[in-house]
Amino acid sequence: MADILHRVGIKDSNPRAVYDALTTVDGLAAWWTRETTGSGETGRMLQFRFPPVGGFDMEVLRTLPGEQVTWKVVDGPDEWIGTTIDWKLRQDGDYTIVLFEHQGWKEPVEFMNHCSTKWAAYLLSLKSLVETGKGAPAPDDVQISDWH
């Protein structure tokens, strides 16, 4: 198994502000993809679409306000199905530290490298949203290439 790991510090924020951006449809649509539907509550489903290439359906496994959000991928590219996406949040001085993990890839295929780069770009979009009020969600995200 292989994992994608990132760490981001978000200045002048608190973990609850970041948590809200990870658990509300409006928050998620403001930094990841505008085409976000569903519910960020534990046990519910979130759907993310990235036209024209597709998207992902996530089961919300865990939400601890201001501390952690965990999803399981139930639909999307084959490499993603069954993986988990986890954010751990903590306060460190003037920063909220986001420890991000996309866990459980069966093997480190080239698509995983692409996804790691895209996750980094979207985590910086999350940082921008919380710090400035403006993220860069799809379709306004940094374009690096087609998925495959």
Side-chain angles (χ1 to χ4, degrees):
M1 295 279 190
D3 302 333
I4 295 172
L5 307 172
H6 293 288
R7 178 187 182 276
V8 175
I10 301 177
K11 189 166 177 56
D12 296 327
S13 69
N14 64 64
R16 187 59 193 235
V18 178
Y19 175 85
D20 290 346
L22 296 172
T23 58
T24 65
V25 169
D26 288 345
L28 290 159
W31 69 267
W32 197 16
T33 179
R34 289 192 183 141
E35 292 199 28
T36 299
T37 58
S39 170
E41 297 176 17
T42 301
R44 304 292 298 273
M45 297 291 291
L46 286 164
Q47 297 82 29
F48 303 96
R49 298 295 174 262
F50 296 81
V53 293
F56 314 98
D57 292 352
M58 311 287 189
E59 177 185 359
V60 181
L61 296 181
R62 184 174 193 172
T63 54
L64 295 172
E67 294 179 31
Q68 185 176 11
V69 176
T70 306
W71 300 333
K72 180 177 182 178
V73 182
V74 297
D75 194 23
D78 290 342
E79 298 92 339
W80 280 49
I81 294 175
T83 62
T84 58
I85 298 168
D86 187 66
W87 289 268
K88 291 181 180 75
L89 312 173
R90 67 176 162 79
Q91 190 75 43
D92 186 357
D94 292 338
Y95 288 84
T96 294
I97 302 301
V98 179
L99 295 176
F100 171 88
E101 300 179 10
H102 186 168
Q103 305 167 312
W105 289 72
K106 293 179 182 99
E107 57 185 328
V109 295
E110 185 176 340
F111 183 48
M112 183 179 169
N113 296 36
H114 169 85
C115 293
S116 181
T117 302
K118 289 302 289 186
W119 273 126
Y122 284 121
L123 288 167
L124 293 175
S125 174
L126 171 64
K127 174 183 174 66
S128 178
L129 174 67
V130 176
E131 288 180 350
T132 72
K134 181 163 176 46
D140 299 326
D141 57 312
V142 174
Q143 300 296 312
I144 57 172
S145 71
D146 294 332
W147 285 22
H148 289 284

